[in-house]
Amino acid sequence: MNSCWDEVTEGRRQIILIGGEPGIGKSRLVSELAMSARETGATVLGGFCERDYPRPYQPFAHALDALGLEEAGFPGWGSSTQATARHRLFASVADLLTTVAEETVVALILEDLHWARQPTLQLLEYLARHIHKGRLMIVATFRPPPRASATELQDTLVEIHRHPGVTRIDLGGLSLDDITEYLMFELHRSRRDVLETAMTLHDVTGGNPFYLRELWRSTSALTPAEKEGSALEDLPLTVGDAIRSRLAATPPRTMDILAKAAVLGSQIRPDLVSAVYGANARDTAQALDNAAGLGITAKTGRGQYVFNHDLTRQAILDGVSDTDLSGLHEQAATYLSKRPDFVSTNPGTVAHHYASAGGHDDQAARFYELAGDHAELSLAYEDASAHFESAVRHASDPHEVDRLTIRAAENTLKASRFALAAEMFNRVADSADPDFRARGAIGMIEATWRPGRLGHEAAARLVQARRGLGAAEHSAIGVELRCYLALALGYAGSHEAAEEIGASALEDARELGDIKLEAKALLYPTMTSPGFGTELYERVQEAYRLAVASGDVNLIGQAAYIRGSLGYV
């Protein structure tokens, strides 16, 4: 790591990927790195991913917030055009980091990437691919995925490692000599005196530093002689057992506050804990100070705390009964949902609390949809789709289920996951509502012809949906369905039928005064037309003009491509 830092100070960007099992020392290593970097005058930016409360580009938003940029403004760096939006957003982040690195050495620390969703990983890969020079070090920590499973994280790590200036460090456990030296320091005894105890602890912990520390703390009531003797035979056999053993000796009032804090997340804000649960601020602060003294939490400055490890937080939550845990989540959801400042930036957190509380499906669906809106605005389409799917699972009204499924499918399509988007749209194509059946059928065409193939099932869905529209065939959704049906018929070689369907759609689109539908009715039958000529070109030219007027970037791109092809011919 020192050699990587030397490279950075010389203006050569470095990326360090630090992997290891829980408790192996990843966070401790990067905290030491951060401390050393600050001592040299470098700017240290840090962020982390959370399992229960993920947000779009979460670790980057946390890190860039330190530069005085509001996290809510992060999405605003993107463009409103889907085709280039994410690229422009990523380029903006790269430009910002490069600019800061011109003024000072920058260490960007991203922790717990094993909880990161795809947009965050894509941004990291973009930075690795596009920033090669500059006084920038990016350090990312993660738990290695299971060897037998392929994950987005593993794919990203492989891609990043292809680029120059990338180093991977896989942390292993402490050796027997390391543990022996630790015991010599703790007990003030000779190597010979502690060697047998060190061997026992090494066998039990596998050299995991966090497990070793928790195990040693759990023996705090033992005398030095007992710690070296047979009492070690009764020690906890897992790190979870060691944590629970120590928590059992924690005062009940402190445990009560810790449980409430654990429900709210890994970062502890005493003021928020007191406000959510109506606790006395002084009692809360005292309990958290007590926990820090016991090594359960640690102060981070500005009156805030963190749990010493995610394993500790999880052990605390595991010790709360299901009924009590549900009540704590309900209290959190009720309070946070009334905080506009919190809802505007953390709707997914509110949704999680309502979902975990149980019995609040409507509220959970509502806030999951808000989280989807936030992610979509952030151009994190995969995140948006996941939130909308969560909303679907909590929605009870069939109409809402269809509407939210459409939203999930649209974002899945934007993320270029065509097969999955087609499956989602197909679910809606079975809806009892004719309008949603049409929307589902149209979505299937969108998802199947984009990759260069048109599924026969999607075309059949269009015909089926059209039959169910009745008089609504002349409405906007009916016109759009016929535009896509003309496209499908053209791909199937039925060009005369495609022209006929397209002509009827064009007539109704003009009657409705909808220029976007008019552009589609002009364009889609020509996209597969075997003919050429001035008349066809002028038709596409008119479709292009209407597409530009509509502002639909995808439609503009389609029309521009067909116009260019015909112009070339």
Side-chain angles (χ1 to χ4, degrees):
M1 292 182 72
N2 289 333
S3 62
C4 288
W5 187 255
D6 292 339
E7 291 286 311
V8 169
T9 58
E10 292 295 324
R12 292 181 287 273
R13 186 272 296 139
Q14 296 290 303
I15 296 177
I16 302 179
L17 307 172
I18 303 176
E21 65 183 42
I24 204 65
K26 303 182 294 295
S27 295
R28 178 59 184 270
L29 179 60
V30 297
S31 68
E32 293 291 332
L33 171 65
M35 187 182 303
S36 298
R38 288 193 182 97
E39 290 175 352
T40 68
T43 296
V44 178
L45 307 174
F48 58 91
C49 302
E50 286 190 282
R51 175 183 55 186
D52 295 332
Y53 313 111
R55 299 167 62 187
Y57 314 108
Q58 188 173 38
F60 291 99
H62 287 158
L64 298 179
D65 187 44
L67 297 177
L69 301 169
E70 294 183 3
E71 291 185 38
F74 191 76
W77 293 341
S79 162
S80 60
T81 61
Q82 177 189 330
T84 60
R86 188 176 285 186
H87 174 82
R88 292 180 62 180
L89 171 62
F90 289 3
S92 296
V93 176
D95 290 344
L96 176 63
L97 290 172
T98 302
T99 299
V100 176
E102 290 175 354
E103 302 296 328
T104 180
V105 180
V106 177
L108 174 61
I109 298 173
L110 310 171
E111 291 209 65
D112 297 331
L113 284 190
H114 46 277
W115 302 130
R117 289 181 170 174
Q118 191 171 17
T120 296
L121 298 175
Q122 289 174 341
L123 177 51
L124 177 59
E125 184 184 342
Y126 181 93
L127 298 179
R129 186 167 63 250
H130 289 85
I131 301 179
H132 299 291
K133 296 180 180 180
R135 295 182 298 170
L136 172 66
M137 173 182 279
I138 301 176
V139 182
T141 69
F142 62 93
R143 298 177 191 173
R147 294 184 181 275
S149 66
T151 66
E152 293 171 350
L153 173 60
Q154 192 153 354
D155 292 342
T156 300
L157 295 176
V158 170
E159 287 301 317
I160 290 176
H161 215 274
R162 299 177 189 273
H163 302 290
V166 178
T167 302
R168 176 163 173 168
I169 300 173
D170 291 298
L171 298 181
L174 299 174
S175 67
L176 176 59
D177 284 343
D178 294 330
I179 296 177
T180 301
E181 290 184 16
Y182 173 73
L183 294 182
M184 289 169 61
F185 175 81
E186 287 288 326
L187 297 172
H188 307 289
R189 303 294 291 273
S190 69
R191 178 178 295 272
R192 177 180 296 179
D193 290 339
V194 303
L195 183 58
E196 183 176 351
T197 302
M199 293 174 64
T200 300
L201 289 173
H202 186 264
D203 289 342
V204 172
T205 66
N208 184 292
F210 180 74
Y211 187 5
L212 174 65
R213 186 178 62 182
E214 288 300 311
L215 202 58
W216 195 248
R217 282 174 173 168
S218 71
T219 68
S220 58
L222 301 179
T223 66
E226 289 174 324
K227 286 182 177 181
E228 295 179 56
S230 59
L232 285 175
E233 297 176 1
D234 299 323
L235 288 179
L237 296 179
T238 69
V239 64
D241 291 337
I243 296 171
R244 284 186 286 273
S245 174
R246 193 154 60 88
L247 290 175
T250 304
R253 179 55 186 163
T254 299
M255 282 302 300
D256 178 65
I257 294 296
L258 288 175
K260 291 171 178 175
V263 167
L264 295 178
S266 58
Q267 306 291 306
I268 306 172
R269 285 179 47 189
D271 60 330
L272 189 61
V273 174
S274 297
V276 169
Y277 298 109
N280 180 276
R282 181 175 297 180
D283 290 345
T284 299
Q286 183 62 54
L288 293 173
D289 279 340
N290 290 342
L294 294 170
I296 298 172
T297 62
K299 290 185 177 180
T300 61
R302 295 180 296 177
Q304 298 189 20
Y305 302 77
V306 294
F307 287 100
N308 68 349
H309 200 281
D310 186 60
L311 294 173
T312 301
R313 173 176 173 255
Q314 191 56 52
I316 292 171
L317 292 173
D318 290 343
V320 182
S321 71
D322 291 343
T323 301
D324 289 344
L325 193 59
S326 176
L328 292 175
H329 278 294
E330 184 174 28
Q331 286 180 269
T334 301
Y335 175 83
L336 296 174
S337 64
K338 296 176 181 177
R339 286 268 304 269
D341 59 324
F342 194 90
V343 171
S344 65
T345 56
N346 298 273
T349 298
V350 181
H352 172 78
H353 286 307
Y354 272 126
S356 299
H360 298 276
D361 283 339
D362 289 343
Q363 291 95 325
R366 172 192 165 203
F367 283 100
Y368 273 127
E369 183 174 12
L370 286 176
D373 292 339
H374 187 260
E376 187 174 18
L377 177 63
S378 303
L379 313 178
Y381 302 123
E382 296 87 349
D383 287 5
S385 179
H387 286 308
F388 290 132
E389 281 278 79
S390 294
V392 168
R393 287 192 290 272
H394 291 277
S396 55
D397 179 70
H399 181 277
E400 283 297 283
V401 169
D402 289 337
R403 184 182 66 81
L404 291 166
T405 302
I406 287 288
R407 297 205 65 187
E410 288 172 345
N411 277 274
T412 302
L413 188 60
K414 290 177 183 178
S416 300
R417 295 182 169 185
F418 302 107
L420 181 57
E423 186 275 327
M424 291 178 175
F425 282 122
N426 190 39
R427 294 195 327 242
V428 182
D430 285 324
S431 172
D433 186 305
D435 184 77
F436 279 118
R437 279 205 303 274
R439 293 179 186 277
I442 290 170
M444 285 190 68
I445 290 291
E446 283 279 295
T448 52
W449 76 265
R450 282 172 182 263
R453 68 181 191 280
L454 188 67
H456 294 293
E457 182 182 2
R461 286 290 197 180
L462 285 172
V463 174
Q464 181 184 9
R466 185 187 182 192
R467 291 181 187 141
L469 282 175
E473 180 170 339
H474 300 286
S475 67
I477 188 65
V479 174
E480 186 169 20
L481 185 146
R482 278 179 284 157
C483 291
Y484 281 96
L485 182 55
L487 177 68
L489 290 171
Y491 272 113
S494 301
H495 300 294
E496 290 185 8
E499 286 291 337
E500 181 181 343
I501 292 291
S504 71
L506 180 60
E507 181 179 349
D508 285 343
R510 286 172 173 166
E511 184 71 23
L512 292 170
D514 191 319
I515 61 173
K516 183 176 175 180
L517 289 178
E518 187 177 348
K520 288 185 176 182
L522 285 167
L523 182 65
Y524 285 5
T526 67
M527 291 179 71
T528 57
S529 175
F532 302 99
T534 303
E535 181 180 349
L536 192 63
Y537 180 81
E538 289 178 349
R539 182 175 179 176
V540 173
Q541 176 70 9
E542 176 64 9
Y544 176 76
R545 184 188 67 79
L546 292 168
V548 171
S550 75
D552 187 308
V553 178
N554 288 324
L555 189 56
I556 293 171
Q558 294 165 8
Y561 174 78
I562 299 300
R563 185 184 67 163
S565 299
L566 289 175
Y568 176 79
V569 174

